[in-house]
Amino acid sequence: MILPKINLTIPWRLKWKLTASILLTILSLLLLGGCQNSANVIAKNSGVIHLTLWHGINPPPNRDVFQILVKKFNKSHPKIQVEALYIGQPDQQIPKILTAVVGNAPPDLLWYNPATAGQLAELDAIIPLENWLNKSPLKAEIDPVLFESMELNGHIWSIPFATNNTAIFYRPSLFKEAGITKLPKTWEEFKQVAKILTKDRNKDGRIDRYGMILPLGKGEWTVFTWLPFMFSADGELLEQKVTVGSQGEKVELLIPKIDNPGAIAALQFWQDLLKEGSAILSGPERGYELDKFIAGKVAMQITGCWTLSELNQTGIDFDVFPIPFLKHPATVVGGENLYVMKTNSQREQAAWEFVKYVLSEKFQTAWALGTGYLPINLKSRASATYQAFVEKTPVLKVFLEQMKSARSRPIIAGYSRLSDNLGRAIEATLLGRPPKKALQESQKRLNLIFNVK
């Protein structure tokens, strides 16, 4: 059989851009590697260990809070100096992280989504932390809910940096204007409220305020904000499958199973809001932006406690209520974890000292007060300082209460592929595809990826 010829000629402008991009990546790696080598030389000459921490902390005011806390650590640990480097938004970080790992030039510490643990562990890029953590009194101070995001295959791969979850932010003035006096708890109540809030206020025949905004896209933000609805409908992302190993032994595997009644119900709920005209879609992959909510063009939006500082600065009225449920309350744990990257024993031990600092009541309280994140340290949550802060910021009570019913996303090695295909199903549904068909199509792709028969 003669195959048709394919023209692989690259236009010179595109070729120049590709070359520049490759050179920039190589230069970045050389610089990062050079920085690490220089740090090693400094450490040998001065006895000071210089550690590099990569992060994507946003918004910028939160980054400033972190830099202050890093400086405090450096001042109290003269033999360990941590340099915190912002390396871009989370979706921009993975290529840099993987390139650094493959190029043997990783940072010493990494701030990132805990769902990446399986992939990093599979690459042998991070070290397990249970031997250190099990000996530390700090283990008992971590919110037990968070261990689901830390543990995989009998090992603890990361430590929670801070935590949060999502809820429904709403504009009380718009609720009052619409005559709504009772906050919705169930999906059906939420539909009714969203319909009442949707208005053509200037009577020009076009809706200019919607009850709700939903995140269009297939990225992690869309998945993160949709999962509480699936969990509240008793949906799951994984199912256990028993197979036979190479030696004839029984092997238990967790495999993706997104085509399930709970997932279908949650997708149908979101699609119903659009079909009924009570919701509007965000820009593609921009579901986290609050512009329409701040401007009063939507009355409700899913987001988290990390936005409190930003919203307070706008001067608008806002409040929060829990994610509405079908069968029972549910939300998803947000926030990032810290990884200790595989370097050498001396640097890893020094990195653990910084991890302990982050776990401490003192750090967690300062971070929570400065950013609105929830402390992962139970002593911090119970402290007089934090409780006084909660009394002044009562919306935090919703997020703290929701932690009791919070779930973590899986940290299996293939989570990124699972999330990508689930995101495709959510996006397709929001654009009109029947939920069951959208999930079935994504499930077929996952079956091929994970070799499920």
Side-chain angles (χ1 to χ4, degrees):
M1 180 175 69
I2 300 176
L3 296 173
K5 292 183 179 179
I6 300 173
N7 184 4
L8 295 176
T9 304
I10 302 174
W12 72 268
R13 281 190 176 89
L14 180 57
K15 187 184 293 184
W16 183 87
K17 288 181 179 179
L18 287 171
T19 303
S21 178
I22 292 168
L23 287 172
L24 184 59
T25 301
I26 293 172
L27 180 59
S28 297
L29 282 174
L30 287 173
L31 287 171
L32 289 169
C35 289
Q36 195 168 60
N37 290 335
S38 298
N40 289 336
V41 170
I42 292 171
K44 288 179 181 177
N45 292 340
S46 66
V48 177
I49 299 176
H50 290 258
L51 302 178
T52 301
L53 184 154
W54 286 3
H55 70 85
I57 294 172
N58 264 318
N62 289 1
R63 218 178 298 157
D64 295 337
V65 173
F66 183 53
Q67 290 293 349
I68 291 170
L69 290 169
V70 170
K71 286 181 180 178
K72 287 185 177 179
F73 173 85
N74 289 341
K75 188 174 181 179
S76 62
H77 294 75
K79 293 297 183 180
I80 304 172
Q81 297 295 289
V82 174
E83 182 182 14
L85 300 175
Y86 175 75
I87 63 168
Q89 289 278 64
D91 58 345
Q92 301 168 350
Q93 291 180 44
I94 275 292
K96 297 176 184 178
I97 294 166
L98 297 180
T99 303
V101 168
V102 173
N104 198 30
D108 297 284
L109 288 154
L110 176 66
W111 171 103
Y112 201 70
N113 191 318
T116 312
Q119 185 177 13
L120 293 174
E122 196 174 61
L123 291 170
D124 197 29
I126 54 178
I127 65 168
L129 304 174
E130 64 273 5
N131 288 340
W132 282 329
L133 187 61
N134 289 340
K135 298 174 185 175
S136 172
L138 288 166
K139 183 178 181 179
E141 298 174 19
I142 300 172
D143 184 342
V145 168
L146 301 175
F147 279 89
E148 188 181 0
S149 75
M150 300 160 57
E151 297 172 330
L152 180 66
N153 297 331
H155 293 292
I156 292 176
W157 294 107
S158 63
I159 298 296
F161 178 88
T163 192
N164 55 57
N165 56 69
T166 57
I168 307 292
F169 280 66
Y170 72 100
R171 299 289 302 273
S173 59
L174 302 184
F175 272 53
K176 183 178 180 181
E177 176 190 306
I180 300 168
T181 58
K182 182 182 176 183
L183 295 175
K185 294 181 179 179
T186 66
W187 289 4
E188 199 55 44
E189 290 173 353
F190 188 86
K191 281 184 182 182
Q192 294 170 10
V193 166
K195 191 177 292 185
I196 294 170
L197 288 163
T198 301
K199 298 282 186 181
D200 171 13
R201 292 180 294 178
N202 59 9
K203 308 300 181 183
D204 66 351
R206 293 181 297 178
I207 294 173
D208 49 25
R209 186 185 72 210
Y210 288 85
M212 180 68 175
I213 185 168
L214 294 173
L216 176 63
K218 57 181 180 291
E220 187 60 27
W221 174 260
T222 300
V223 173
F224 175 56
T225 50
W226 175 81
L227 280 175
F229 297 89
M230 186 199 75
F231 287 140
S232 88
D234 282 340
E236 293 290 341
L237 293 178
L238 303 173
E239 72 172 5
Q240 197 169 58
K241 183 178 180 181
V242 179
T243 185
V244 179
S246 58
Q247 305 299 320
E249 75 280 11
K250 288 185 178 180
V251 179
E252 292 184 350
L253 299 174
L254 288 174
I255 58 172
K257 182 60 176 174
I258 62 173
D259 179 14
N260 62 72
I264 295 169
L267 283 183
Q268 189 64 61
F269 174 60
W270 274 26
Q271 191 179 77
D272 287 348
L273 288 168
L274 292 169
K275 285 183 175 180
E276 292 168 7
S278 304
I280 191 174
L281 292 174
S282 74
E285 309 297 353
R286 313 296 290 183
Y288 54 86
E289 293 181 344
L290 298 169
D291 308 37
K292 289 183 173 61
F293 179 78
I294 293 169
K297 293 180 179 179
V298 296
M300 298 182 289
Q301 182 164 354
I302 307 167
T303 189
C305 49
W306 61 88
T307 60
L308 293 177
S309 177
E310 178 184 355
L311 288 172
N312 282 327
Q313 290 174 16
T314 66
I316 66 166
D317 67 301
F318 69 91
D319 209 334
V320 180
F321 63 85
I323 297 285
F325 62 87
L326 180 64
K327 295 185 177 181
H328 52 79
T331 190
V332 173
V333 172
E336 290 71 29
N337 286 19
L338 277 182
Y339 299 93
V340 176
M341 307 299 284
K342 184 169 283 189
T343 52
N344 62 52
S345 59
Q346 186 183 32
R347 302 184 71 79
E348 290 163 5
Q349 180 64 53
W352 173 247
E353 291 301 315
F354 185 77
V355 171
K356 288 195 296 183
Y357 170 69
V358 168
L359 282 174
S360 70
E361 177 186 342
K362 191 173 183 179
F363 177 97
Q364 288 295 317
T365 302
W367 178 253
L369 267 57
T371 65
Y373 273 78
L374 307 181
I376 62 94
N377 186 297
L378 297 177
K379 283 187 176 180
S380 172
R381 284 190 203 171
S383 68
T385 302
Y386 185 68
Q387 286 301 310
F389 177 67
V390 171
E391 288 303 315
K392 291 180 180 177
T393 318
V395 295
L396 286 172
K397 294 177 182 179
V398 172
F399 298 101
L400 290 165
E401 183 64 24
Q402 282 194 142
M403 286 302 292
K404 297 174 183 177
S405 56
R407 295 279 304 277
S408 292
R409 288 161 283 179
I411 63 172
I412 60 171
Y415 175 76
S416 62
R417 288 165 288 181
L418 166 59
S419 175
D420 177 66
N421 282 281
L422 179 56
R424 289 172 186 271
I426 299 171
E427 182 181 60
T429 300
L430 293 176
L431 295 175
R433 191 88 169 136
K436 187 170 179 62
K437 287 186 177 180
L439 286 166
Q440 286 174 338
E441 289 164 2
S442 285
Q443 186 65 55
K444 285 179 182 177
R445 289 192 296 268
L446 286 169
N447 289 346
L448 290 172
I449 293 169
F450 287 85
N451 194 28
V452 178
K453 296 179 181 178

